[in-house]
Amino acid sequence: MIRLCAVSDLDDPGSKGFHNERGHLFAVRQGLQVFVYVNSCPHFGINLEWQPDQFLDSEKRLIQCATHGAQFLIETGECIAGPCPGDQLTSVECEVRDGVVYLP
């Protein structure tokens, strides 16, 4: 198992990027839930953020690609607006145990 971060390291709601042996990833916290995705926009294959840890729109309700404005649901990674509707971010399985996010 890979220790990604403590849940308390993520704002609620908030996001944070990571680079480890699994590649470039980011985690999004929404309440008690944490979602992890590969940091790659399905439209163009580039990282989603321009600034470190900035993966959410201004209202912190959707994941947003900084380059083309594609917006994705936090819970599923599905694109609902922008140049790639219907595409999805690649989700990464995670587990929250004792306040820590792990990747199996």
Side-chain angles (χ1 to χ4, degrees):
M1 267 204 181
I2 299 169
R3 182 189 190 280
L4 194 61
C5 67
V7 173
S8 61
D9 291 340
L10 302 167
D11 290 339
D12 181 16
S15 59
K16 188 172 182 64
F18 301 92
H19 180 73
N20 58 33
E21 56 265 36
R22 298 283 296 271
H24 291 274
L25 310 173
F26 68 99
V28 179
R29 178 179 177 190
Q30 191 173 49
L32 298 175
Q33 294 184 295
V34 176
F35 304 90
V36 179
Y37 295 99
V38 173
N39 185 3
S40 180
C41 181
H43 171 239
F44 211 59
I46 57 174
N47 286 357
L48 292 162
E49 85 284 20
W50 276 341
Q51 297 181 10
D53 304 326
Q54 299 297 313
F55 295 92
L56 301 179
D57 67 353
S58 60
E59 296 175 2
K60 296 187 177 189
R61 291 181 30 204
L62 297 167
I63 298 166
Q64 183 168 325
C65 176
T67 302
H68 297 110
Q71 294 183 318
F72 306 86
L73 296 174
I74 291 172
E75 300 84 3
T76 64
E78 179 186 354
C79 181
I80 58 165
C84 54
D87 284 348
Q88 269 187 234
L89 298 172
T90 302
S91 65
V92 177
E93 188 179 339
C94 72
E95 177 183 328
V96 177
R97 200 169 3 121
D98 299 323
V100 177
V101 181
Y102 293 96
L103 306 179

